[in-house]
Amino acid sequence: MRYPVPFSRWSVLFGAVAWSATRLWAADMGEALTTIRAVGPEGQGNAAAAQAWAQVAGAPADQLPKLLDAMNGANERARNYLVAAAATMADRQLKSGGVLPVAELGDFLLNPAHQGAARRLALELIAKVDISAAEDLMPGLLDDPAPELRREAVKRILDAATARATGESKGVAIALYQQALGFARDGDQVEAITQGLKDLGRNVDLVQRLGFVTRWQVIGPFDNTGGVGFDKVYPPEVAVQLDAEVEGREGKVRWKEFVSQHEFGMVDLNKAYAPLKEVAGYAYTVFHSEVAQRAEIRLGCKNGWKLWANGQFLFGRDEYHRGAEIDQYRLPVDLKAGRNTILVKVTQNEQKEEWTVEWEFQLRVTDPSGRVLRSAAPADKMALR
Amino acid sequence: MKHIVSRSLPLLAAWWSLSAGSVALADWTQFRGRDGSGAVAEASLPTALDPQKSVRWHADLPGRGLSSPIVVGDRVFVTCSSGARQSRLHVICFNAADGAMLWERQFFATGRTMCHEKTSVAANSPASDGQRVFALFSCNDLVALDLEGNLLWVRALSLDYPNVSNSLGMSSSVVVSEGTVVAQVENDTQPLALGIDAATGLNRWKLDRPKMANWTSPIVFRDPATGRETVCLQSGKGLLGVEPATGKELWNYTEGASTVPSTAAAAGVLYVPSQGITAIKPGAAGQAPTQLWRANTLRPGTSSPVVSGDRVYTINGAGVLSCGNVQNGDRVWQLRMKGPFSASPVMAGRFLYAPNETGLLQVVDTSKPEGELVSEMELGETILSTPAVTTDSLYLRSDGKLWRISGG
């Protein structure tokens, strides 16, 4: 087909302008994205980032993959500038009747090397254009390394199982629950699946499945009258000597072994000693890692607590009885190949209400995506030395 | 293009600085309204509620929340949280006229999202200075947007101060005064109050606060004589008045206060949930406020007090509405309502509107000698959020819906 000459000229002209504009945007985008990625603590870089945000959000939608790519390695503050810009670009494009670069977004989504939140955003952008395509992509994400995608895929199976848990489809529900269990990494999802199976007569060893550390050496009680014990440095914080005898709140105390039998791996210091108030206790274990690796120590605790890994203080929190849940606190840690020590201090306050009795914690070790890491050697007393 | 943007910015900033703070009197710009009284004196709302006639529109919301809507001009702003562990944060702008969503911005939570199942991550109400919207969430992410949804700045307070969190959830709403956004992120471990430059998101000041959980919201007190603003920070220790721009202490009421219901203000007096209700009048800087009266009989439950004219109203934990005299704290009447209540009541003219947790919106004519329940309407959803009021409408939200109630 031959276009009339004037139309052809206009097409060339418009094409050239569009090409130039895109090139201009692409060049400016890079600088603007760098500015956004430079935002730092306490609002540093915000003023410049706001200008850059306007520029990025005003870019044509074909720049979306570049924007998503900028999320790779971006800090969490910058990520929030970028996610808002992406949605703004996409919404403007769709409202004006334009299209999104779905194929490129798909490529981005399916590349596990990209950052999980950015890939999740790519999926959501695809869903804005074609919700059924996004649904169709979901089963393929069941074993995805990105928790943001894997969780959603597991949820769909979990929902399907729950919908069949009553009535004549119980057998199907069991199969679906078991499939979900095979891929779930988030503690709350595993707990929900386990409960669903339990309701259908199938028991799951939650401790094994979630990898709770159950074998510990414990020592206590130390004084925490009026909360003074949280900051007070007792001997275990100076050095863990499992055969030492040290001064506790009511005389000499020694380390002793405590193995949790709790279905959620709770290390209950009230069981190790007695129900006590205004006390502090310590629990110590060794985790053998086959390789040096980035990991997370994941803690659930409704008492005050402090945690050290390989003698380095990671974090602590002086809060009592506001609630606890699996993976309540996620503490990034670099595990060494071989022996890694973990020391937990747990403090109990003075409250007398029935819901303030607990003096306990649960702990597991995972990789950053939530995959359970298990100690390569048992944490028996000899191994702890 | 870049040059056009950069050349335009100084002009834009100048215009902004001139116009910032130009809040229309009809706007409801923060939790319990612009003046912190919870009341609009000149308002005309339906008092015989009818689901067919009184609901001007309702809109679906994409996530949970018990933050209050705020109203700026012809726009209504709402925050929500959704997704896995409520880690997706939403700021949404609706057209007040018809409930159409004008824009939505989403963010990732950077702090802990754990909270009690009754509350949610979108528990803190947003605030506006008339030009910008500031939205804080339980995970301590704070974002600033202009009214068109353009992102101005982002703060991740849990990254800046890693122990500002509460495993039950945080709920203190932000206020904005004299170009400073004030956020109380107070908890058992790292309790802070922050004054943040509304234009840049940089800290203007940071105060260490009493080490205890605190779910109350700051309030902006305007001295009727001078027009000078003071930001009042409530905690279990009492109420601290600070200069908005510097955080400098102006006065301190130290006789304790609740950590759940928040202080109300009207006509130069603060009504503090302290040993019941304690009415105080701030004086000169450096001087302790004058205690006008204290009334244990007006002790509020979860809901904050509301003040209108010469009356202060509270709802106690048993769902009993008390009307007190602002002159002396004497209880004028009591009325048993259908509770329980988490939302604070609001006033439009002489009528008090109180949604209970089951979604029953109740209307009380406070001009009657003993107060009179004149109407109620079932909304069919749990309501924990305090409504917003304008001269002709009431806006309230659940986890799933936003309603506009009006007569026309």
Side-chain angles (χ1 to χ4, degrees):
Chain A
M1 181 176 180
R2 289 178 62 86
Y3 292 107
V5 171
F7 183 82
S8 180
R9 282 183 187 153
W10 280 114
S11 300
V12 170
L13 183 60
F14 279 129
V17 168
W19 180 82
S20 301
T22 300
R23 296 261 303 174
L24 186 62
W25 278 115
D28 283 355
M29 274 272 287
E31 195 178 323
L33 291 170
T34 300
T35 301
I36 289 174
R37 283 169 58 103
V39 295
E42 296 190 311
Q44 298 301 319
N46 269 343
Q51 294 182 37
W53 186 89
Q55 193 175 345
V56 172
D62 62 2
Q63 297 296 306
L64 274 168
K66 188 170 184 179
L67 187 157
L68 293 177
D69 194 51
M71 290 176 75
N72 288 320
N75 69 55
E76 291 182 86
R77 300 174 181 89
R79 223 171 56 182
N80 268 335
Y81 277 93
L82 297 172
V83 67
T88 306
M89 287 165 70
D91 289 349
R92 186 183 59 250
Q93 179 79 349
L94 294 174
K95 275 183 184 171
S96 66
V99 296
L100 301 185
V102 174
E104 290 81 357
L105 292 172
D107 290 342
F108 191 94
L109 165 67
L110 297 175
N111 184 349
H114 291 310
Q115 202 258 350
R119 294 175 60 216
R120 167 83 200 190
L121 187 55
L123 179 68
E124 292 174 9
L125 291 170
I126 292 170
K128 281 178 185 279
V129 177
D130 187 343
I131 185 74
S132 64
E135 299 274 345
D136 291 343
L137 285 162
M138 200 55 71
L141 302 170
L142 196 53
D143 198 22
D144 199 277
E148 296 89 347
L149 297 167
R150 185 187 195 98
R151 182 184 174 92
E152 185 67 21
V154 170
K155 181 178 181 297
R156 284 161 193 256
I157 299 175
L158 177 56
D159 290 346
T162 305
R164 291 168 175 81
T166 55
E168 296 178 357
S169 302
K170 287 181 181 173
V172 178
I174 290 171
L176 288 166
Y177 275 130
Q178 287 179 332
Q179 185 192 21
L181 190 61
F183 293 99
R185 287 183 181 172
D186 288 351
D188 60 328
Q189 281 194 329
V190 171
E191 191 178 355
I193 295 164
T194 302
Q195 187 59 50
L197 284 168
K198 191 175 180 182
D199 293 344
L200 294 172
R202 300 290 182 97
N203 284 322
V204 176
D205 184 344
L206 204 57
V207 169
Q208 195 279 334
R209 176 63 65 173
L210 284 173
F212 290 119
V213 177
T214 56
R215 188 172 292 271
W216 296 82
Q217 292 288 319
V218 298
I219 191 167
F222 298 92
D223 185 39
N224 189 35
T225 305
V228 297
F230 183 80
D231 287 325
K232 187 157 186 181
V233 177
Y234 290 113
E237 293 179 42
V238 179
V240 174
Q241 292 180 274
L242 294 181
D243 52 1
E245 190 176 64
V246 299
E247 200 64 43
R249 186 176 75 167
E250 289 144 9
K252 300 287 185 188
V253 293
R254 302 182 66 90
W255 290 94
K256 65 179 182 180
E257 186 174 62
F258 182 85
V259 180
S260 171
Q261 305 294 333
H262 191 273
E263 64 176 324
F264 293 104
M266 280 293 177
V267 180
D268 185 349
L269 296 179
N270 282 332
K271 281 190 175 166
Y273 299 100
L276 295 171
K277 284 288 175 182
E278 298 190 277
V279 288
Y282 293 84
Y284 171 80
T285 195
V286 170
F287 186 92
H288 289 265
S289 178
E290 291 185 347
V291 294
Q293 58 185 317
R294 188 74 168 156
E296 285 185 0
I297 294 176
R298 296 186 172 195
L299 181 84
C301 184
K302 62 183 295 196
N303 303 93
W305 60 272
K306 288 184 176 180
L307 195 145
W308 295 259
N310 293 327
Q312 296 294 310
F313 176 69
L314 292 190
F315 203 68
R317 187 154 173 79
D318 194 7
E319 177 186 77
Y320 293 91
H321 306 296
R322 304 287 186 205
E325 65 180 17
I326 296 171
D327 299 345
Q328 185 175 2
Y329 303 100
R330 293 169 53 176
L331 312 177
V333 62
D334 289 313
L335 295 178
K336 300 182 294 187
R339 191 173 183 276
N340 295 271
T341 65
I342 299 172
L343 176 69
V344 185
K345 179 180 189 177
V346 188
T347 53
Q348 171 65 301
N349 71 348
E350 77 294 344
Q351 284 179 273
K352 296 289 190 288
E353 295 91 340
E354 189 181 343
W355 44 272
T356 67
V357 170
E358 291 89 351
W359 179 29
E360 62 189 16
F361 70 95
Q362 62 181 184
L363 182 147
R364 65 193 190 120
V365 184
T366 72
D367 75 4
S369 76
R371 182 173 62 88
V372 172
L373 299 179
R374 301 178 198 282
S375 182
D380 58 28
K381 191 162 185 177
M382 290 304 291
L384 294 178
R385 289 178 188 277
Chain B
M1 182 67 184
K2 194 172 77 174
H3 299 300
I4 295 171
V5 170
S6 54
R7 275 188 206 132
S8 305
L9 275 167
L11 286 173
L12 188 65
W15 167 79
W16 208 321
S17 63
L18 286 171
S19 56
S22 58
V23 174
L25 289 176
D27 292 344
W28 186 272
T29 55
Q30 61 194 22
F31 178 55
R32 296 179 306 127
R34 181 177 166 273
D35 63 1
S37 68
V40 173
E42 303 297 326
S44 176
L45 269 63
T47 55
L49 297 175
D50 178 336
Q52 303 301 320
K53 296 177 183 170
S54 306
V55 178
R56 175 86 164 265
W57 51 258
H58 65 80
D60 290 337
L61 296 176
R64 299 185 58 194
L66 50 123
S67 56
S68 292
I70 60 169
V71 184
V72 183
D74 59 357
R75 297 182 173 212
V76 186
F77 299 89
V78 181
T79 62
C80 300
S81 53
S82 69
R85 301 187 193 87
Q86 298 185 63
S87 59
R88 188 62 64 88
L89 315 175
H90 306 247
V91 182
I92 308 165
C93 174
F94 291 94
N95 184 342
D98 58 9
M101 185 189 288
L102 297 177
W103 53 259
E104 177 188 14
R105 297 288 176 264
Q106 295 187 23
F107 305 91
F108 296 115
T110 64
R112 295 171 60 217
T113 58
M114 179 180 176
C115 57
H116 189 278
E117 62 187 4
K118 187 172 177 179
T119 182
S120 76
V121 174
N124 326 58
S125 300
S128 176
D129 60 3
Q131 303 296 330
R132 299 167 282 214
V133 173
F134 309 96
L136 176 68
F137 295 83
S138 173
C139 49
N140 298 308
D141 288 292
L142 173 62
V143 299
L145 299 140
D146 71 16
L147 301 188
E148 300 301 323
N150 294 307
L151 184 60
L152 303 175
W153 49 263
V154 166
R155 287 294 301 269
L157 302 179
S158 289
L159 297 179
D160 292 343
Y161 317 109
N163 242 327
V164 290
S165 71
N166 183 327
S167 295
L168 285 174
M170 310 276 276
S171 69
S172 184
S173 303
V174 285
V175 293
V176 55
S177 172
E178 298 179 358
T180 306
V181 180
V182 178
Q184 284 183 262
V185 286
E186 301 182 12
N187 58 88
D188 294 320
T189 305
Q190 192 180 15
L192 298 171
L194 299 161
I196 295 171
D197 188 322
T200 64
L202 291 166
N203 281 3
R204 283 184 164 170
W205 49 267
K206 177 163 74 76
L207 296 180
D208 290 328
R209 295 284 293 152
K211 202 170 176 224
M212 59 177 70
N214 185 8
W215 294 274
T216 66
S217 298
I219 187 169
V220 179
F221 173 78
R222 291 176 186 83
D223 187 315
T226 63
R228 182 178 160 192
E229 293 190 347
T230 301
V231 172
C232 308
L233 308 173
Q234 186 176 325
S235 76
K237 299 287 188 188
L239 193 71
L240 176 71
V242 301
E243 207 169 64
T246 65
K248 179 186 167 193
E249 178 178 327
L250 298 174
W251 48 260
N252 198 4
Y253 166 79
T254 58
E255 295 182 36
S258 173
T259 56
V260 178
S262 302
T263 296
V269 177
L270 290 158
Y271 300 87
V272 189
S274 168
Q275 302 176 60
I277 291 289
T278 300
I280 61 172
K281 191 174 182 63
Q287 292 181 357
T290 305
Q291 181 178 316
L292 304 178
W293 49 259
R294 174 169 288 158
N296 191 43
T297 53
L298 298 178
R299 181 181 298 274
T302 300
S303 311
S304 300
V306 55
V307 188
S308 182
D310 58 358
R311 296 288 184 261
V312 54
Y313 304 90
T314 59
I315 298 178
N316 69 15
V320 175
L321 171 66
S322 290
C323 169
N325 185 332
V326 298
Q327 299 302 322
N328 52 26
D330 287 351
R331 189 162 59 198
V332 181
W333 50 257
Q334 282 184 290
L335 179 67
R336 181 164 290 282
M337 308 278 283
K338 294 172 185 166
F341 293 92
S342 280
S344 301
V346 291
M347 295 278 293
R350 70 176 195 269
F351 294 95
L352 180 142
Y353 292 77
N356 73 9
E357 291 185 6
T358 69
L360 184 71
L361 178 59
Q362 298 161 80
V363 186
V364 175
D365 185 345
T366 62
S367 68
K368 301 293 184 186
E370 297 296 319
E372 183 180 329
L373 181 67
V374 293
S375 183
E376 54 187 38
M377 182 168 72
E378 190 62 67
L379 292 161
E381 297 196 25
T382 300
I383 304 281
L384 305 174
S385 161
T386 299
V389 184
T390 61
T391 51
D392 67 352
S393 298
L394 181 107
Y395 298 87
L396 73 169
R397 63 88 57 89
S398 66
D399 273 343
K401 278 185 181 169
L402 170 69
W403 290 267
R404 177 181 175 184
I405 311 291
S406 69

